[in-house]
Amino acid sequence: SPGVMLSARYQNKMVSSSQGSALLNQLMEKPDAMERRELHWTGAPDDPLTLVIDAPIKAIFSTLELSLGAALIPVIDALILWFVLGTWMMLQTRRVRALGAAVDEFSLHREVTPSLQKNIRLAQKGKVDEIHDVAVALELLAQHTIEQRLLHVREEAQILLWSSVFKSSAEAIIITDHDRNIVAVNAAFLRRTGYQPEDVLGKNPRVLSSRREKPEFYSAMWDAITSHGYWQGEVWDANKDGSI
């Protein structure tokens, strides 16, 4: 190998060199800009014969190469980051687009359509990440909205049913609030008592009292309603013209 010098040292004295005997005295000390390795000839630690290898120290890169390398490191880092993020975005673009389409579909129709379900499934596809979590939340929101809408529809149907019964019943019916003020009366009540809605709405049912019942009767009636939720019995009332 160019520049490499071999020498043999016996009992700490140079006895032979690949450069000839003229350098034996100089080789006792390691030359500058050289790296020295020493090997026992037989491998035994106590072997008096040692092989000395002196090899020149060479820079792997020149100053210009090191400067260019240092300048290229940020560029290479940026390229790696761009490649990683770009690849990730390319893989996630379809899921993000599907999620956006699902949000638009739900905002427009407010119901679970086949298109909404398809886009949610597409957005959920892949590993569990932020896109998957948003898609799951959107699916739960859609289901909750549908359930609330169905519940609202059932409640409205129930209200319409009771309203129809209230209006068409042949029995006189009055409805009060928790403060025992009349909030509604049906047509049968108006026909039977002769009152008009403005005569009784907002007033206490005591306006119908015939004075035949004792105060204890009404107290027991309201106590039963408060405690048990209902009261059943008969009450003597007075019509608008005073008839009983």
Side-chain angles (χ1 to χ4, degrees):
S1 299
V4 176
M5 294 186 297
L6 301 179
S7 56
R9 185 175 60 199
Y10 183 77
Q11 294 182 347
N12 293 326
K13 181 180 180 181
M14 291 297 183
V15 295
S16 179
S17 169
S18 60
Q19 302 295 326
S21 60
L23 298 178
L24 291 180
N25 293 330
Q26 300 178 13
L27 291 177
M28 290 300 298
E29 299 293 335
K30 180 176 74 68
D32 296 336
M34 299 289 282
E35 182 179 7
R36 173 167 290 183
R37 293 288 184 268
E38 297 182 1
L39 302 174
H40 294 288
W41 192 266
T42 61
D46 57 350
D47 189 347
L49 182 60
T50 304
L51 174 64
V52 179
I53 306 172
D54 291 312
I57 300 175
K58 295 183 179 180
I60 299 177
F61 299 104
S62 66
T63 303
L64 178 61
E65 290 172 335
L66 290 175
S67 299
L68 290 176
L72 287 175
I73 287 176
V75 178
I76 294 174
D77 289 343
L79 290 175
I80 293 175
L81 183 62
W82 175 82
F83 175 77
V84 172
L85 291 179
T87 302
W88 182 86
M89 286 301 297
M90 289 178 61
L91 295 175
Q92 305 305 327
T93 296
R94 188 179 181 186
R95 296 176 62 205
V96 173
R97 187 182 297 115
L99 182 60
V103 173
D104 293 339
E105 181 77 12
F106 179 69
S107 300
L108 180 62
H109 299 286
R110 284 297 195 180
E111 60 183 16
V112 181
T113 62
S115 177
L116 175 65
Q117 292 178 324
K118 177 181 178 182
N119 286 316
I120 287 179
R121 294 293 177 269
L122 183 58
Q124 291 177 345
K125 187 177 182 180
K127 65 179 182 180
V128 178
D129 54 8
E130 292 83 356
I131 301 175
H132 178 276
D133 293 342
V134 174
V136 171
L138 179 60
E139 184 177 26
L140 294 176
L141 175 62
Q143 293 175 353
H144 178 71
T145 301
I146 298 303
E147 292 173 357
Q148 291 297 316
R149 177 176 296 179
L150 292 176
L151 179 61
H152 181 67
V153 169
R154 286 195 292 267
E155 290 176 348
E156 286 187 339
Q158 190 71 20
I159 291 173
L160 290 174
L161 175 62
W162 285 113
S163 177
S164 177
V165 172
F166 174 74
K167 292 179 180 179
S168 61
S169 175
E171 300 293 336
I173 302 175
I174 63 174
I175 299 177
T176 68
D177 58 18
H178 289 290
D179 295 325
R180 304 176 186 176
N181 296 320
I182 299 175
V183 296
V185 295
N186 66 348
F189 172 85
L190 300 177
R191 290 194 305 269
R192 181 164 299 182
T193 64
Y195 284 102
Q196 295 301 313
E198 60 271 14
D199 297 329
V200 293
L201 294 181
K203 297 180 180 179
N204 191 283
R206 70 170 59 96
V207 298
L208 306 174
S209 176
S210 64
R211 310 294 181 180
R212 290 192 176 187
E213 311 291 357
K214 295 181 179 181
E216 294 81 3
F217 173 85
Y218 293 105
S219 296
M221 181 186 71
W222 285 112
D223 287 344
I225 293 174
T226 303
S227 302
H228 307 295
Y230 71 94
W231 174 85
Q232 182 174 341
E234 294 182 350
V235 183
W236 288 91
D237 282 335
N239 295 325
K240 186 176 181 179
D241 60 7
S243 60
I244 304 302

